[in-house]
């Protein structure tokens, strides 16, 4: 009897495992079918846009995409973070399918496609009062000869002309991992100027505990370099590694356009613009 009971128990366990196994191996969509798993990689240290909050990706771009993901039940969308420079390198090598939020740049011929624009950001030049005091800073970057610039690793916001001036030793360009590190160095006078998005700078200064009055005594905005639109950049897929990429990107774009029309994206951004 004990052997028969053991055999029956074993068979029941096998049947139960067979029924449960496939469900645990892949999530299900609203119609009961398998959901395609997607990993969206974002920049891990660029508040308020995309950053790690503990072990969870957060920020304006991430919030927009998480709201969009809720409208795409056919996909199981995971958010992961990497440093900006590494994200660009992984994307360029085709090791990840998608990375946000590189600016729309037609010169990146290795980007297969971009999503619809998510956020428009204003890029400015910040310099120390000491550097700017005795200079006429009208034409960027030629009026900045001799300056020590900080740059967030992997960013190209300073422009190709400034990179060329650095190669010619007309300016110095020093990279650091984050906005906060560059601003600390700028406030301490260890660099003369720094280029980044205005809201990112304001957010970082607030995180550092530096109010507007205190920052105005040490640093000032000396130029606006224009507006750039951030988006998801998709890697090329020549080997067919992500056969679902274009279908996913098209579906996501449709949701993002609807979110714009509904005013949902504006509502999300408003929460980050209180500085």
């Amino acid at each position: 009897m004990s052997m028969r009971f053991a055999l029956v128990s074993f068979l029941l366990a096998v049947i139960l495992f067979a029924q449960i196994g496939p469900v645990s191996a892949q999530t299900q969509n609203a119609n009961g079918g398998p959901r395609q798993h997607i990993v969206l990689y974002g920049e891990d240290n660029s508040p308020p846009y995309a950053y790690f909050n503990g072990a969870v990706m957060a920020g304006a771009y991430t919030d927009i995409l998480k709201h969009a993901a809720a409208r795409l039940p056919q996909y199981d969308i995971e958010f992961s973070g990497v440093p900006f420079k590494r994200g660009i390198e992984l994307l360029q090598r085709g090791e990840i399918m998608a990375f946000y939020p590189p600016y729309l740049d037609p010169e990146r011929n290795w980007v297969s496609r971009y999503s619809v624009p998510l956020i428009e950001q204003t890029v400015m030049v910040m310099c120390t009062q000491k550097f700017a005091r005795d200079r006429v800073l009208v034409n960027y970057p030629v009026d900045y000869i001799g300056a020590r610039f900080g740059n967030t690793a992997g960013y190209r916001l300073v422009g190709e002309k400034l990179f060329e001036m650095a190669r010619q030793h007309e300016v110095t360009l020093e990279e650091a991992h984050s906005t906060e590190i560059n601003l600390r160095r700028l406030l301490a006078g260890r660099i003369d100027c720094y280029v980044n998005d205005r809201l990112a700078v304001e957010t970082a200064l607030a995180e550092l505990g530096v109010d507007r009055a205190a920052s105005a005594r040490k640093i000032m905005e000396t130029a606006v370099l224009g507006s750039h639109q951030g988006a998801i950049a998709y890697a090329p897929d020549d080997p067919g590694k992500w056969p679902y990429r274009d279908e996913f990107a098209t579906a996501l774009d449709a949701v993002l356009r609807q979110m714009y029309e509904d005013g949902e994206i504006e509502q999300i951004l408003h929460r980050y613009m209180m500085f």
Side-chain angles (χ1 to χ4, degrees):
M1 179 66 70
S2 59
M3 290 183 62
R4 180 180 295 178
F5 178 80
L7 180 60
V8 170
S9 299
F10 174 77
L11 291 175
L12 287 173
V14 169
I15 293 170
L16 183 62
F17 179 81
Q19 291 176 337
I20 294 175
V23 176
S24 62
Q26 55 184 181
T27 55
Q28 306 291 303
N29 66 23
N31 298 321
R35 301 169 69 195
Q36 177 62 57
H37 184 68
I38 301 286
V39 182
L40 293 179
Y41 288 85
E43 185 176 1
D44 68 353
N45 194 15
S46 182
Y49 294 112
Y51 60 96
F52 270 127
N53 183 7
V56 178
M57 281 295 291
Y61 281 99
T62 307
D63 282 358
I64 290 170
L65 293 170
K66 284 183 177 180
H67 278 71
R71 300 188 186 185
L72 294 168
Q74 67 271 41
Y75 296 103
D76 171 31
I77 301 176
E78 175 186 348
F79 293 87
S80 187
V82 290
F84 185 85
K85 186 175 182 180
R86 172 128 179 93
I88 290 294
E89 290 171 349
L90 290 172
L91 192 75
Q92 190 168 8
R93 294 200 300 265
E95 295 183 30
I96 60 177
M97 186 187 81
F99 181 59
Y100 68 92
Y103 293 140
L104 297 170
D105 185 352
E107 294 186 5
R108 290 195 186 108
N109 56 13
W110 45 269
V111 171
S112 181
R113 63 182 289 175
Y114 289 95
S115 71
V116 296
L118 297 174
I119 301 176
E120 188 164 300
Q121 299 175 226
T122 300
V123 178
M124 64 174 185
V125 184
M126 296 288 296
C127 295
T128 63
Q129 292 281 3
K130 180 180 179 182
F131 175 82
R133 188 180 303 132
D134 300 322
R135 289 174 174 253
V136 178
L137 300 176
V138 176
N139 297 313
Y140 176 89
V142 294
D143 291 342
Y144 293 74
I145 289 176
R148 296 168 298 166
F149 273 83
N151 188 53
T152 302
Y155 281 24
R156 310 294 293 182
L157 300 181
V158 298
E160 291 306 316
K161 189 165 185 179
L162 193 100
F163 277 110
E164 180 59 31
M165 289 173 67
R167 287 189 287 269
Q168 299 297 325
H169 305 291
E170 296 175 323
V171 297
T172 302
L173 193 60
E174 303 172 5
E175 291 200 332
H177 177 58
S178 68
T179 301
E180 288 85 353
I181 294 173
N182 278 297
L183 286 175
R184 286 183 188 276
R185 297 171 68 213
L186 186 66
L187 290 165
R190 296 205 297 272
I191 56 175
D192 299 313
C193 301
Y194 176 56
V195 177
N196 205 339
D197 164 74
R198 181 180 285 137
L199 182 56
V201 168
E202 291 177 352
T203 302
L205 288 172
E207 289 290 325
L208 293 172
V210 181
D211 61 29
R212 288 181 181 271
S215 66
R217 288 192 292 269
K218 293 186 175 183
I219 59 178
M220 63 180 291
E221 182 178 318
T222 60
V224 175
L225 303 186
S227 295
H228 298 265
Q229 295 176 314
I232 303 171
Y234 293 94
D237 190 28
D238 297 333
K241 188 175 182 180
W242 302 292
Y244 46 82
R245 183 202 63 190
D246 287 337
E247 184 176 347
F248 166 76
T250 299
L252 179 58
D253 280 353
V255 170
L256 292 170
R257 290 190 185 97
Q258 188 62 53
M259 289 173 65
Y260 271 112
E261 292 179 13
D262 295 342
E264 188 173 354
I265 288 180
E266 184 177 353
Q267 292 173 11
I268 293 169
L269 292 178
H270 184 71
R271 298 201 296 266
Y272 292 89
M273 296 181 178
M274 299 297 183
F275 302 95

